[in-house]
Amino acid sequence: MTGFAKGIGDVLWATALLLRSPRLWGYVLAPALVAAPLVVATLYILFGPVMAYADDAGAALPSWLSFLGGLLQVLAVVPLLGAGYVVFLAATALCTAPFCEQLSESVELTLGGETPPAFSVKTLLADLVMGVGHSLRRISSYLLVMALLFAAALIVPVIGALIFTIGGAWVTTRFAAYDALDSVWARKSLSYNDKMQNLRKVRGRAYGIGALTALLLVVPVVNLLALPLAAIAATKLHLRELG
């Protein structure tokens, strides 16, 4: 629990660093601008058609069952909140990764980390291919597990919903923790296995970062800054524990 608390403290430290470092905002606003339309698209694609269907189903009910119209809307919205969150997190993590890596590099230099090697097109392309491959592997695994948990919630009454809530929170925390630290590790060309070994070494503190990041992602406006803040916090963690 001490490591977990330190991870939460790292995100709070990242917030303070960002507030007093105007030069970092360019790296932060770029992923925020990418995330903003993803929020709108997720809400529109998921909620629009389902709410329309719920309205039609409610209108088709006999008058003495009209109260079920509101219930249908609730039943439609609740699972979609979870699904929308998962889709938003996965899409945002993939699209903002390059910006978060640049932000992490700038923070690492500020904290006295190693100067990055000279720019090389060959290295850039190799890192890009590796990074995309690792991201797709991580995101596909996350979506698969969440889909299985979601299916359990639909099939098994009450207990399934509990499994989805607890299991989903743990899986999302782990995913967010890895994603945050990958803003550092992707720049260092680590293999996927090396990344997972490093994650295990700092599991408690990394999960603290992941848990608070996952929570911030549900707060309007703040969710646009959650992943950049996680990248800053993860950079500090890497330098202090693994660097």
Side-chain angles (χ1 to χ4, degrees), residues 34-164:
V34 172
L38 291 176
V39 174
V40 176
T42 299
L43 293 175
Y44 177 78
I45 293 172
L46 288 176
F47 284 86
V50 173
M51 291 304 295
Y53 175 79
D55 287 339
D56 293 341
L61 292 172
S63 57
W64 60 279
L65 289 177
S66 59
F67 70 93
L68 290 179
L71 179 60
L72 285 175
Q73 289 184 335
V74 172
L75 293 176
V77 168
V78 171
L80 280 178
L81 286 173
Y85 175 87
V86 170
V87 172
F88 167 70
L89 174 55
T92 305
L94 182 61
C95 294
T96 62
F99 304 105
C100 288
E101 289 173 21
Q102 291 299 313
L103 172 61
S104 171
E105 182 177 291
S106 179
V107 172
E108 183 171 339
L109 289 174
T110 300
L111 297 179
E114 296 180 358
T115 302
F119 176 78
S120 166
V121 174
K122 182 179 179 180
T123 301
L124 174 65
L125 293 177
D127 288 346
L128 180 62
V129 171
M130 179 184 293
V132 170
H134 290 179
S135 295
L136 291 177
R137 178 176 178 178
R138 181 181 74 251
I139 290 172
S140 60
S141 298
Y142 173 62
L143 292 177
L144 175 61
V145 173
M146 291 303 295
L148 293 175
L149 291 172
F150 187 70
L154 296 178
I155 296 172
V156 184
V158 183
I159 296 178
L162 183 62
I163 293 174
F164 175 78

Side-chain angles (χ1 to χ4, degrees), residues 30 33 54 132 159-160 213 239 242:
L33 291 175
V132 170
I159 296 178
T213 301
L239 290 177
L242 299 170

Side-chain angles (χ1 to χ4, degrees), residues 10-28:
D10 288 336
V11 179
L12 299 178
W13 171 87
T15 304
L17 177 65
L18 184 60
L19 291 175
R20 65 175 185 266
S21 305
R23 66 180 183 79
L24 295 178
W25 277 94
Y27 298 108
V28 173

